[in-house]
Amino acid sequence: QVQLVESGGGLVQAGGSLRLSCAASGSISSLNIMGWYRQAPEKQRELVARIASGGTTNYAGSAKVRLTISRDNSNNTMYLQMNILKTEDTSIYLCNLENFYLERDDSYWGQGTHNPVSS
C-alpha cells in the first residue's frame, strides 16, 4: 500500500510561481516512477511530468520550459516547480506513483491539490 499526499498548492497570480510537493509513504518499490498529472474541469487527466527512481525525467510537450520536476529519494518526496504560471494552468494537480515488480505493476494516486491561477 502507498499513500500520496500533495501539498504546496494554492491561489497564485499569472506570472507567479508555485512549488508542489508530494510525499509518498508505504511500500515503495526500488523501481518506480512518480509523476504529476493535471485534470481541469471537463478535461481528461493528462501528464505534466514524470520522474523515475533513477532520476530520468520526461515532460509533456514543452512543459520543461516552465516546469521542473525533481525528487528526493531519501524521504520519497517529489516536487514540481511551476514558473510563469498562466490562467490555463488552473487545474487539479494529482500525484502518481507507479510501482514496478516482476509479478505486477501498481499505480497509486493522491487526492489532488487545487491550483487556481488568477489573472
Side-chain angles (χ1 to χ4, degrees):
Q1 294 182 328
V2 173
Q3 183 180 13
L4 304 172
V5 180
E6 301 98 337
S7 62
L11 177 65
V12 64
Q13 292 186 3
S17 300
L18 282 175
R19 191 183 75 156
L20 305 181
S21 299
C22 174
S25 61
S27 181
I28 302 173
S29 173
S30 60
L31 180 59
N32 68 82
I33 297 175
M34 298 185 71
W36 288 101
Y37 294 74
R38 58 180 287 175
Q39 188 165 15
E42 302 181 3
K43 298 287 187 179
Q44 290 183 307
R45 185 176 299 175
E46 61 182 3
L47 170 71
V48 177
R50 296 188 298 178
I51 183 167
S53 52
T56 302
T57 62
N58 67 77
Y59 295 82
S62 59
K64 64 179 179 181
V65 175
R66 299 186 295 115
L67 309 176
T68 301
I69 190 170
S70 61
R71 64 186 292 169
D72 185 349
N73 289 335
S74 66
N75 57 11
N76 296 311
T77 301
M78 176 182 61
Y79 305 94
L80 182 68
Q81 180 68 43
M82 310 171 65
N83 300 318
I84 319 176
L85 287 165
K86 303 179 293 183
T87 56
E88 296 177 351
D89 295 320
T90 298
S91 182
I92 296 174
Y93 286 78
L94 299 134
C95 176
N96 171 262
L97 184 143
E98 194 167 3
N99 277 333
F100 295 95
Y101 301 100
L102 289 175
E103 66 275 10
R104 70 184 188 279
D105 301 331
D106 298 323
S107 184
Y108 301 88
W109 293 91
Q111 185 178 358
T113 180
H114 297 255
N115 295 281
V117 181
S118 64
S119 60

